[in-house]
Amino acid sequence: MFGPLLQYEQKEQSIILGYEERTAIIQVVTDKVINVFVPFVSKDHRSKAIEGDKQLPVSFTLAKGSGCLILTTESLICKIYDNFVIDFYDRDGVLLCADYRGQRTPRFQLDESALELLKKEGHDINMAGNGNYPVQCVKKLDAHDCIYGLGDKTGVLNKRCYEYENWNSDIPDPHEDSFKSLYKSVPFFITLKENGVYGIFYDNTFKSYFNFGKENDGYYCFGSDDGNLDYFFIGGKDMPEVVQNYTYLTGRMPLPQKWALGYHQSRWGYDSEETFRGLADSFRKHRIPCDALHFDIDYMDHYKVFTWNKERFSDARTLLSDLKKQGFKAVTILDPGVKVEKDYPIYEEGIANDYYAKSPDGRVYVNAVWPGDAVYPDFGSPNVRKWWGEHLRFYTDLGVGGIWNDMNEPASFNGPLPDDIVFTDEGRPSTHAEMHNVYGHNMARAAYEGWQNLTGKRPFVITRACYSGSQKYTTVWTGDNQSLWTHLRMAIPQQCNLGLSGIAFIGADIGGFGADTTPELLTRWIEAGCFSPLFRNHCAKGCMNQEPWLFGEETLAIYRKYVELRYSLLPYFYDLCRECELTGLPLIRPLVLHYENDINVRNLNDEFLAGEHLLVAPVIEQGAVKRMVYLPEGTWYDYWTHEEYQGSQYHIVDAPLDTCPIFVKAGTILPKAPAQMYVGEIEDPALILDVYPGTGSYKHYQDNGEDFAYRSGAYNEYLFRTDGTRNLEITKLHKGYKEYPEIVVNYI
Ligand code: GLC
């Protein structure tokens, strides 16, 4: 396909490679990030994930080797051969990532007659495409390679041996391990090797395919239906550095408002002013901390976006202002589908300005969502994003605290949108095939930018569909899970992989969205879920209500214990957000992120870290009251009893219904807050520091938790150090915000 390399030319940090049959380009983006680009359809990159010029000035050398060109940066060596075969090495010459040279040999292939036969009984073979894609890349797999990332895909943490597709899909059926795709497209994965690690970001928005050794154990493959071959090889000395380099490229979660880390209550079916007033009173009466109440589609008039149902919410402004007095923020859902209805202002305005996607014949394209016939705002156009963002004034004026974007795969009830529906990619006409996977991304961008312009505060946006880089604008949830033990389990690797893929502010619906929860399931779910950055209980219309006081005293008491635990840990979570903004490291982390050399954690699906200091081993089996916990190297302390445990081994620990096993690493200085019913209830809370035995240091961050003043220096940063004696050292690294009234130190 490429032929021999006939000539090459260096242009600044790019090498233009003249192969006999086509041109390819290698760009040194940073010392550790190299872009591989074959302009099949366009000369420009067309990235939606990467904003601005990320190229850093880097010195590198280019030399002729035997049968190859050798590009050497301070950290990487890249050898480029005929036929555009490329290998990446670290600076010590360890081969990290090699293009596969052999013939592709699928383990098995099905002929037409076998497929026909299988179909007769309704078996869906569900292969990710046919294995051969118009744009593709095949790379060598070594025996012990593990693969992580790829966003919200279901199944286990280590994706090796599985295949996936990126095509944002609204799937209300119970999510299964075998699903190829779900709501999000995050074409980034990390390959952990016996002696090294690297990431690949395949920046192509068309339907894409990832076969991580299912086809053959000796290679993996990624490809897509169309577009350019455009991927980034991402190096780093360890997994955290690879995540850091990937998020340098695609962006990092900006610091959220602090209340967004509090507890959120939601239900599809909270459909009146009385319901919300009742909810607010019940939370306060039962002393369950809560910061946000979510308004699902029931608040709208006939599911028309930018409207309120006046019969059921006669005075939304007063309702929201009363809720605010009780310490609640309102978060309203907003779907992209705009109802087709004469004289409905948003619909008419969008039609008049040509803001909706069209069929190739020029007519506005109509499908159906909740309101019935609906049209799709063309969020790839900057004008449409601006228009939509300005209309958010409808919500901000009423005092709404955040926006929840849903159905933005985009969902369509009258069959899929045809590939050739015309959408815009910034200034250029494009197609649904190219813009589908970034529809949610662009909608989130519209919401983030609009909200920021309107309020000056840090926008709180949630989205169901997204693409790489959406973390700059939005938090995400994992969509319509169900009240199933398997789904409680699944949420752990799912959130760990989302985090490794740069998407750090994440959560799964606590209690489960579809189907009916049980007191035990809800209890175990709040125990695990209180560590998810997005901490929301949400369920579907028609399913059992999931407010914690509906399941008896025991459930209520345990529920309260874990929501209180979350509120006490808010300074820690907020520090993790700050760390994420600076480094891209997620809040919820698989153990392998920090202990990559420990083979016991490479396939660990049922434990996770919250930051580097807390290890959480939730109970995810019905009836279990003990569980096996693997602790990695070092000394650990039981959070509840302070009992000491040694790492690098398995332990069987007690986990009665009210106990989620949590372990704290020796030397941890854990920042905590006094009890509050909502963020801001105490105007200036004290800081509590739990200091665990051992030596350690910890950076703590403090600001007003609301706006962007911190970017001009309005924050405090502290460094705490413990040497194991009861003598905590406190240093102020930055002073730009008011002091804590008190710092209380507890030696554990
Ligand atoms: C979708 C969302 C769900 C929401 C429902 C109604 O199914 O995923 O969270 O409650 O739509 O808006």
Side-chain angles (χ1 to χ4, degrees), residues 170 172 183 266-268 296-298 333 335 370 404 406-407 464 477 479-480 509 513 536 538-541:
D170 169 23
Y183 305 96
S266 183
R267 174 177 171 81
W268 176 14
D296 205 323
I297 49 173
D298 318 272
I333 201 167
D335 294 340
W370 302 119
W404 165 20
D406 188 21
M407 310 298 277
R464 195 169 71 174
W477 94 108
D480 294 350
D509 287 344
F513 173 74
R536 184 180 78 156
H538 178 51
C539 66
K541 212 182 184 77

Side-chain angles (χ1 to χ4, degrees), residues 573-591:
F573 274 87
Y574 198 57
D575 282 341
L576 290 174
C577 290
R578 173 64 173 172
E579 184 188 8
C580 183
E581 181 174 49
L582 298 176
T583 66
L585 288 185
L587 285 75
I588 294 287
R589 307 173 183 178
L591 274 65

